Amino acid sequence: MPRPDRLPPFERVVATHGATVLRVCRALLGPVDADDAWSETFLAALRAYPDLKPGSNVEAWLVTVAHRKAIDVHRLRARTPVPTETLPERPASTGIPGSGDDELWQAVAALPFTQRAAVVYHHVAGLPYAEIAAILGNSTDAARRAAADGRAALRRHYQLETGTRR
């Protein structure tokens, strides 16, 4: 058990939180960019780790770093054309022509970034809304609202697809 006045070894941090960070990266970016974002997250975290205060919530800190890496990937993706053999008949929702994610992740990917991030951070990473607010740079109420709006949009999406009404 690490002492409260010391940080655990970085290898233990990777072993403990690596799977959560990978799930967050996959949910925010999809399977193609997730591994690179995971690596970039831990490279950046390794550089900053010595300055982290003992007793900090390391998981929330890593999700914050992963969030910033995901924003970097989104910005890069918006500026980078994707070469293809043939042009698709219509634009792909994920930005990658011909990519075939499963239905849920396509619906999540279609959410506005803040809603997607709030849903992923809360339901995939298990973070409380106060920590999500710190990551997104807004209030706890705004983070809770973004997650609620994202869940509502997903419910509407599935109700329209199945034709069911409550």
Side-chain angles (χ1 to χ4, degrees), residues 44-97:
L46 178 61
R47 287 189 288 273
Y49 190 65
D51 297 329
L52 190 64
K53 293 179 185 173
S56 296
N57 183 335
V58 176
E59 184 176 49
W61 174 70
L62 287 170
V63 170
T64 301
V65 175
H67 167 79
R68 291 181 181 140
K69 295 301 174 186
I71 289 172
D72 292 346
V73 169
H74 280 284
R75 288 178 180 154
L76 179 65
R77 194 184 287 161
R79 296 187 306 258
T80 306
V82 178
T84 61
E85 291 287 327
T86 59
L87 292 177
E89 303 246 347
R90 58 191 164 104
S93 62
T94 60
I96 303 168

Side-chain angles (χ1 to χ4, degrees), residues 2-166:
R3 291 180 24 195
D5 61 335
R6 290 193 181 160
L7 293 169
F10 193 73
E11 295 83 11
R12 188 176 316 146
V13 170
V14 175
T16 303
H17 302 294
T20 299
V21 172
L22 183 58
R23 285 192 306 270
V24 166
C25 290
R26 283 182 180 159
L28 290 175
L29 299 170
V32 175
D33 295 317
D35 290 337
D36 289 339
W38 184 91
S39 298
E40 289 295 323
T41 296
F42 280 101
L43 284 173
L46 178 61
R47 287 189 288 273
Y49 190 65
D51 297 329
L52 190 64
K53 293 179 185 173
S56 296
N57 183 335
V58 176
E59 184 176 49
W61 174 70
L62 287 170
V63 170
T64 301
V65 175
H67 167 79
R68 291 181 181 140
K69 295 301 174 186
I71 289 172
D72 292 346
V73 169
H74 280 284
R75 288 178 180 154
L76 179 65
R77 194 184 287 161
R79 296 187 306 258
T80 306
V82 178
T84 61
E85 291 287 327
T86 59
L87 292 177
E89 303 246 347
R90 58 191 164 104
S93 62
T94 60
I96 303 168
S99 66
D101 271 352
D102 75 344
E103 184 181 338
L104 172 62
W105 293 118
Q106 285 181 349
V108 171
L111 294 173
F113 186 80
T114 303
Q115 289 179 14
R116 179 177 357 141
V119 167
V120 167
Y121 297 157
H122 187 69
H123 295 286
V124 175
L127 296 179
Y129 291 113
E131 291 176 9
I132 295 169
I135 293 169
L136 296 176
N138 58 20
S139 68
T140 302
D141 288 340
R144 186 176 283 112
R145 178 82 259 156
D149 289 347
R151 286 189 306 271
L154 290 172
R155 273 191 218 103
R156 282 192 305 276
H157 170 80
Y158 281 103
Q159 286 174 350
L160 289 175
E161 273 193 6
T162 61
T164 60
R165 299 225 183 250
R166 288 210 249 195

